[in-house]
Amino acid sequence: MSIAQNTETDAKLRCISCGATPDSAGQDFRCTACGDLLEFFFPGWISGPDAFNPPALDPTALKSLWLSRRTSRDALDQSGVWRFRELLPHIPNPEEHVITLREGNTPLYHLPRCARATGVENLHAKHQGMNPTASFKDTGMTVAASSAHQGGFRWVACASTGNTSASMAAYAARGNMHSLVLIPEGKISWGKLSQSLDYGALTCQLRSDFDGCVRILNDLVRQKPVYLLNSVNPYRIEGQKTAAIELMEQLAWEPPDHIIVPGGNLGNSSAIGKALLEMRELKLISRLPKLSIIQAQGANPFYRSVREFGGKKLEPMTADTLATAIRIGNPASWKKALRVLQATGGEVEEVTEVEIAAAKAEIGADGIGCEPASAVTLAGLKKLRRSGFVKSGESVVLILTGHLLKDPDFTIKFHRGDLFDGTADEAEAAQVKYLQRTPVVLDANLGVVIAALDAAERDSGSDSRRAPSEPSDAKEKLNR
Amino acid sequence: MSIAQNTETDAKLRCISCGATPDSAGQDFRCTACGDLLEFFFPGWISGPDAFNPPALDPTALKSLWLSRRTSRDALDQSGVWRFRELLPHIPNPEEHVITLREGNTPLYHLPRCARATGVENLHAKHQGMNPTASFKDTGMTVAASSAHQGGFRWVACASTGNTSASMAAYAARGNMHSLVLIPEGKISWGKLSQSLDYGALTCQLRSDFDGCVRILNDLVRQKPVYLLNSVNPYRIEGQKTAAIELMEQLAWEPPDHIIVPGGNLGNSSAIGKALLEMRELKLISRLPKLSIIQAQGANPFYRSVREFGGKKLEPMTADTLATAIRIGNPASWKKALRVLQATGGEVEEVTEVEIAAAKAEIGADGIGCEPASAVTLAGLKKLRRSGFVKSGESVVLILTGHLLKDPDFTIKFHRGDLFDGTADEAEAAQVKYLQRTPVVLDANLGVVIAALDAAERDSGSDSRRAPSEPSDAKEKLNR
């Protein structure tokens, strides 16, 4: 079975390396000529100055069409992805095939305390963790799962222990399809799996490592009618573009100076960059923000590729970071990401484990909860400020990719003070102890509670951010 | 310090028992005459046939005003709570005092498989777990926290180990206020607390039980300028009303026949019922849905109050249920809930622990993840169908109150098959084993994976819901 190209739209597939433009994709979504990744392009948009910008894609008309859909009761219009369907591959008979959980529509928050701390007053966070399964994966999954449904597939599959499997399982269930999750035996994180179990995925632990799972999955989709939902699937990239479109709408189509994204498998960086380039192409925006990509130091193959090899090659590595969502040593979409980094003039950075944990606590103190991988954006911003790449008068948007509740253990350990116990990071971690809010144990006595309150109030001084971070001081005073 | 009544609006406070209408509330939000709860009412709406329905509250005008706000870039309009501010107590200088995380705006999902299973085709779920901190608490918290901010408070407080403290801590952080959480020592659930730690609450474990914490909190707010955010706060009830208003808008103002809510502290039931009554009063809807309230059998004081005592009294109990969000033995808002139950002609039901777990898995199989307490609604619907109270041709909306990720442990234990091990429910649990999706361990071999897939496909037959639930069968066949 092959995935048919839609004929009612001008979206075409193209290999990112050799430029081949196949009529349809194989089930592994790889170029049959050279084996590299495929992506969608829209030849109707770029066929020269005369044909450019056909009436249907008039930017002013598009903007008001998209806005007007916000008042619609149609499921497609209510989705923060399908609301922008003019820039997506067409799904024929959408009322039959589109599977939506009303994904997208995520908030853009000002971060006042983080702004003060970084000296960037115009600092916002686009929180993709507010999607239905609590990560940005949903925006791509709705498009790819709908493509699977339209193709008549009964089974969808991925190799993942985290956010992708959760999202896939939910959309498969909504679309009455079966879902298969392949994970390495013994490396199962029960917390991350609760969602795929709840949504009914068939979960197979293979006696192998992660790469072995991917290999078997690739073989499987070539032999059986199973639809591949790993990040090589170009439909997922298209759906993930909409985060950037929605962001520009929220900013009244005035692009910020900088957008900062976490870098793991690099599909999301690619998608957001692709959206920016396409929006400029279509004159929806007049200039490009700089798109910068931040990796964890323990999972930094892309950072090293750019810094050490000028993007000429990428050396896979064994990844190790507590920010599990970006613990990836061989990112599938690195060439796509490199292209958007260069096209937008963005920068690449790496941050330490402690820098990630501190940044996450600082975002939390602004009332916004995210998973560790999301916090690399703020940690990276601090470095980009120090290097002078981001200036104080510039506007910055951080892309937060997952909700705090995706990884509560990390948060609890950090505030309990044992996240870095016995690791090489212990000394560095001591320096961010002031961000911890360890619970204090007190006698059940009004006077004691009032004293704790007063102590916290005193300690906070003029910087209210620090007040709740020093309960241990309060405790000591009370126990004396 | 007392909480001043707004003078720019017609919202007034009234005691639910003695009817006293104080000009302002004390910091414990209790009637100074009789000690019972206060609620808001809007005398301008009900001052007789002539004065009724002033022009500003013309139902048609209101509906289009609310809809038009969906296209606004104003933070107040983007909130799914403040969008309906004509039906809320007024906050003066909202641009200064309103604290919003863009709460509300939650999706309404059709539940096709649950519909078939219950024989109610027109079955939907309003998912309040899609709020920013992943529970319905946010809709009330934005109003109450804004009231605290407007009152000039630096500290807010609650006694809670769960969703309320998470929501309070987030809104306090956004509003630059300090938050205090009182919890009983040793009964701390780290998972439920990760959010309040992340958002920076000062968390005090008291050497006492929960009631002891509430007692100290009440004393505290009478002595110190600390704003009480427990559910007795009537501003929270007003914010929670908006879930029902938004629901009616989603249904094009055609009320369903039934709305079913989980019953814990009964503030949410009261709020939704209050909204329904007010919407009928204002001619926004032409008839009332029946509002039914479902409790866990182990925490059923309201069920017993209605069934055994005709609502004449409520006997507090020691609550015990795995649905922790409704593990409440002495619900604060039972009188308010009783009133809306009677006014709408709803029913009260109780469900077992196994019925809750099964219902949660069934909702999950529809691609919708919720916490256990939310699933009592589907479990209750099954009982109401059997009793004939809900008929097959009728339309039903379940209110889901929290996200799956609020309690992943429950999900994992259920699917691993050890949620009820060694409990009195073990035999009953064996009957819903078919809903479990235990991961299977397989050799890393393409043939083995294909066999597992084929087995699941065969087992699923025509009922795709059951396919992923029998992997152990697949495993047995493969290991032979």
Side-chain angles (χ1 to χ4, degrees):
Chain A
M1 205 181 286
S2 73
I3 288 95
Q5 185 76 64
N6 293 314
T7 52
E8 297 178 35
T9 176
D10 55 353
K12 299 278 176 211
L13 287 167
R14 175 172 59 193
C15 174
I16 64 163
S17 277
C18 74
T21 55
D23 285 337
S24 67
Q27 283 184 206
D28 62 354
F29 289 110
R30 292 276 175 179
C31 174
T32 48
C34 77
D36 215 329
L37 300 185
L38 301 174
E39 67 173 356
F40 280 106
F41 74 112
F42 300 80
W45 301 356
I46 47 169
S47 51
D50 293 338
F52 186 78
N53 226 3
L57 292 177
D58 170 72
T60 309
L62 274 181
K63 288 174 188 176
S64 47
L65 175 66
W66 292 338
L67 194 64
S68 72
R69 285 182 180 149
R70 293 189 67 96
T71 64
S72 163
R73 283 195 188 88
D74 183 88
L76 227 61
D77 294 341
Q78 287 180 352
S79 161
V81 171
W82 295 101
R83 192 156 71 83
F84 303 106
R85 55 190 173 270
E86 283 73 17
L87 303 197
L88 300 178
H90 184 65
I91 301 284
N93 301 321
E95 60 293 335
E96 189 181 335
H97 295 303
V98 167
I99 307 165
T100 173
L101 285 163
R102 316 296 191 280
E103 53 289 313
N105 300 315
T106 59
L108 181 68
Y109 294 125
H110 184 228
L111 299 179
R113 294 172 191 192
C114 295
R116 281 195 298 274
T118 56
V120 176
E121 186 44 44
N122 195 340
L123 176 62
H124 287 79
K126 171 83 173 155
H127 202 334
Q128 293 295 95
M130 299 294 184
N131 271 290
T133 77
S135 87
F136 74 97
K137 305 283 185 182
D138 293 344
T139 56
M141 204 56 76
T142 181
V143 179
S146 300
S147 153
H149 195 274
Q150 190 259 321
F153 288 86
R154 280 178 60 78
W155 279 90
V156 296
C158 73
S160 153
T161 62
N163 293 334
T164 301
S165 53
S167 182
M168 177 186 79
Y171 283 86
R174 288 304 285 174
N176 212 21
M177 299 182 289
H178 302 291
S179 60
L180 170 72
V181 175
L182 297 186
I183 50 174
E185 188 200 4
K187 286 158 199 158
I188 187 169
S189 153
W190 285 103
K192 285 247 169 193
L193 269 179
S194 72
Q195 291 182 282
S196 38
L197 292 177
D198 196 58
Y199 304 135
L202 173 62
T203 307
C204 296
Q205 294 174 265
L206 300 192
R207 298 191 181 93
S208 175
D209 59 8
F210 185 78
D211 286 341
C213 291
V214 171
R215 218 159 31 237
I216 287 188
L217 187 62
N218 282 328
D219 290 344
L220 179 70
V221 299
R222 290 188 197 104
Q223 293 200 18
K224 298 284 284 186
V226 172
Y227 186 91
L228 183 68
L229 280 176
N230 271 20
S231 73
V232 300
N233 183 314
Y235 286 94
R236 283 187 49 199
I237 302 293
E238 293 302 303
Q240 288 171 206
K241 285 192 323 192
T242 57
I245 309 175
E246 188 175 83
L247 169 64
M248 292 305 146
E249 185 187 60
Q250 286 168 316
L251 295 171
W253 305 98
E254 275 301 326
D257 296 305
H258 297 273
I259 296 178
I260 302 181
V261 292
N265 217 9
L266 298 171
N268 203 34
S269 313
S270 309
I272 288 169
K274 188 171 192 284
L276 295 174
L277 295 170
E278 289 180 0
M279 282 190 282
R280 194 189 49 174
E281 199 80 46
L282 292 170
K283 297 192 170 32
L284 288 159
I285 54 176
S286 56
R287 61 186 179 84
L288 286 177
K290 294 187 178 74
L291 183 75
S292 293
I293 299 173
I294 318 295
Q295 292 205 296
Q297 206 168 61
N300 64 352
F302 185 65
Y303 170 82
R304 287 189 297 110
S305 167
V306 175
R307 291 288 177 103
E308 292 172 24
F309 311 118
K312 294 276 186 295
K313 63 169 182 172
L314 180 133
E315 280 185 354
M317 65 186 289
T318 305
D320 185 24
T321 168
L322 294 172
T324 53
I326 53 172
R327 189 168 58 197
I328 291 165
N330 190 14
S333 298
W334 74 274
K335 287 182 196 167
K336 294 184 183 178
L338 181 67
R339 202 174 46 185
V340 301
L341 194 77
Q342 291 168 340
T344 67
E347 185 55 283
V348 64
E349 252 317 335
E350 61 171 1
V351 292
T352 68
E353 297 294 287
V354 173
E355 287 171 338
I356 296 171
K360 183 174 142 40
E362 289 171 322
I363 294 169
D366 254 329
I368 310 298
C370 66
E371 70 171 335
S374 305
V376 301
T377 54
L378 179 65
L381 170 61
K382 292 182 195 171
K383 286 197 146 176
L384 295 174
R385 281 282 295 139
R386 284 198 292 273
S387 75
F389 184 75
V390 174
K391 291 164 193 63
S392 72
E394 293 186 313
S395 54
V396 178
V397 174
L398 312 178
I399 306 291
L400 307 181
T401 46
H403 197 280
L404 158 64
L405 286 171
K406 281 286 190 172
D407 192 355
D409 284 353
F410 181 100
T411 305
I412 289 161
K413 283 182 182 160
F414 176 76
H415 289 291
R416 210 163 45 185
D418 54 16
L419 186 62
F420 298 108
D421 278 4
T423 71
D425 299 324
E426 207 166 347
E428 189 189 350
Q431 296 170 16
V432 298
K433 232 181 149 52
Y434 71 93
L435 289 165
Q436 285 167 20
R437 295 123 198 165
T438 321
V440 288
V441 180
L442 302 175
D443 280 337
N445 173 292
L446 181 60
V448 170
V449 173
I450 288 179
L453 201 75
D454 289 343
E457 174 76 29
R458 258 194 322 273
D459 290 343
S460 72
S462 60
D463 180 7
S464 54
R465 182 169 54 94
R466 298 187 56 184
S469 69
E470 293 168 24
S472 49
D473 284 3
K475 187 186 174 188
E476 272 174 38
K477 284 163 196 155
L478 291 163
N479 286 351
R480 238 180 272 144
Chain B
M1 208 182 284
S2 75
I3 287 96
Q5 184 77 62
N6 293 313
T7 52
E8 296 177 35
T9 175
D10 54 355
K12 298 278 174 209
L13 287 167
R14 176 172 59 195
C15 172
I16 65 164
S17 277
C18 74
T21 54
D23 285 338
S24 67
Q27 282 182 208
D28 61 354
F29 290 110
R30 293 274 176 181
C31 175
T32 47
C34 77
D36 215 329
L37 300 185
L38 300 174
E39 67 175 356
F40 280 105
F41 75 112
F42 299 80
W45 301 355
I46 49 169
S47 51
D50 294 334
F52 187 78
N53 226 4
L57 292 177
D58 171 72
T60 311
L62 274 181
K63 288 175 187 175
S64 46
L65 175 66
W66 293 337
L67 194 64
S68 73
R69 285 181 181 151
R70 293 188 65 96
T71 64
S72 164
R73 283 195 187 89
D74 182 272
L76 227 61
D77 293 342
Q78 285 180 352
S79 161
V81 171
W82 296 102
R83 192 155 71 81
F84 303 107
R85 53 191 175 269
E86 283 73 15
L87 304 198
L88 300 178
H90 184 64
I91 301 283
N93 302 320
E95 61 291 338
E96 188 182 337
H97 295 303
V98 167
I99 306 165
T100 174
L101 286 163
R102 315 297 189 278
E103 52 292 313
N105 299 315
T106 59
L108 181 68
Y109 294 125
H110 185 226
L111 298 179
R113 294 172 191 192
C114 295
R116 283 196 297 275
T118 55
V120 175
E121 187 44 42
N122 195 340
L123 176 63
H124 288 79
K126 172 82 173 156
H127 203 334
Q128 294 295 95
M130 299 296 183
N131 271 291
T133 76
S135 88
F136 75 97
K137 304 283 185 182
D138 294 343
T139 56
M141 203 57 74
T142 181
V143 180
S146 300
S147 152
H149 195 274
Q150 190 258 322
F153 288 86
R154 280 179 60 79
W155 280 89
V156 296
C158 72
S160 152
T161 62
N163 293 333
T164 300
S165 53
S167 182
M168 177 186 78
Y171 283 85
R174 290 303 284 173
N176 211 20
M177 299 181 290
H178 302 291
S179 60
L180 169 72
V181 175
L182 298 186
I183 50 173
E185 188 199 6
K187 284 158 202 158
I188 187 169
S189 154
W190 283 102
K192 286 247 169 191
L193 269 179
S194 72
Q195 291 182 282
S196 37
L197 293 177
D198 196 58
Y199 304 135
L202 171 62
T203 307
C204 296
Q205 295 174 265
L206 300 192
R207 297 189 180 97
S208 175
D209 60 8
F210 185 79
D211 286 340
C213 292
V214 171
R215 219 161 27 237
I216 286 189
L217 187 62
N218 282 328
D219 289 344
L220 179 69
V221 299
R222 289 188 199 107
Q223 293 202 16
K224 298 284 284 183
V226 171
Y227 187 90
L228 182 68
L229 280 175
N230 270 20
S231 73
V232 300
N233 183 314
Y235 286 94
R236 284 187 50 199
I237 301 294
E238 292 302 302
Q240 288 171 209
K241 287 191 325 192
T242 57
I245 308 174
E246 187 175 83
L247 170 64
M248 291 306 145
E249 184 186 63
Q250 286 169 316
L251 295 172
W253 304 97
E254 275 300 325
D257 296 306
H258 297 273
I259 295 179
I260 302 181
V261 291
N265 216 10
L266 299 171
N268 204 34
S269 312
S270 308
I272 288 170
K274 187 170 193 284
L276 295 174
L277 295 170
E278 290 180 358
M279 282 191 282
R280 193 187 54 174
E281 199 81 45
L282 291 170
K283 295 192 171 34
L284 288 159
I285 54 175
S286 56
R287 61 185 179 84
L288 286 177
K290 293 186 177 75
L291 183 76
S292 292
I293 300 172
I294 318 295
Q295 293 205 295
Q297 205 167 61
N300 65 352
F302 185 66
Y303 171 82
R304 288 190 296 110
S305 166
V306 174
R307 291 288 176 102
E308 291 173 26
F309 310 117
K312 295 277 188 297
K313 64 169 181 173
L314 180 132
E315 280 185 354
M317 66 185 289
T318 304
D320 185 24
T321 169
L322 294 172
T324 52
I326 53 172
R327 189 168 58 196
I328 290 165
N330 190 13
S333 299
W334 74 274
K335 286 182 195 165
K336 294 183 182 177
L338 180 68
R339 201 175 47 183
V340 300
L341 194 78
Q342 290 168 340
T344 68
E347 185 56 284
V348 63
E349 252 315 338
E350 61 170 1
V351 293
T352 69
E353 296 294 288
V354 173
E355 287 171 338
I356 295 170
K360 180 172 145 43
E362 289 171 322
I363 294 169
D366 255 329
I368 310 298
C370 65
E371 72 171 334
S374 304
V376 301
T377 54
L378 179 65
L381 170 60
K382 292 181 193 171
K383 285 198 146 174
L384 295 174
R385 282 283 292 138
R386 283 200 291 276
S387 74
F389 183 75
V390 174
K391 292 164 194 62
S392 72
E394 293 185 313
S395 53
V396 178
V397 174
L398 312 178
I399 306 292
L400 306 181
T401 45
H403 197 280
L404 158 62
L405 286 172
K406 281 285 192 174
D407 192 356
D409 284 353
F410 181 100
T411 305
I412 289 161
K413 284 183 183 162
F414 176 77
H415 290 292
R416 210 163 47 186
D418 54 16
L419 186 62
F420 298 108
D421 278 4
T423 72
D425 298 324
E426 205 166 349
E428 189 189 350
Q431 297 172 15
V432 298
K433 231 181 150 51
Y434 71 94
L435 289 166
Q436 286 167 20
R437 295 125 197 165
T438 321
V440 289
V441 180
L442 301 175
D443 280 339
N445 173 293
L446 181 61
V448 169
V449 173
I450 288 179
L453 201 73
D454 290 344
E457 174 77 30
R458 258 194 323 274
D459 289 344
S460 72
S462 59
D463 179 6
S464 53
R465 183 169 54 93
R466 297 187 56 187
S469 69
E470 290 169 25
S472 48
D473 283 0
K475 186 188 176 187
E476 270 175 39
K477 281 163 200 158
L478 291 163
N479 288 352
R480 238 181 272 141

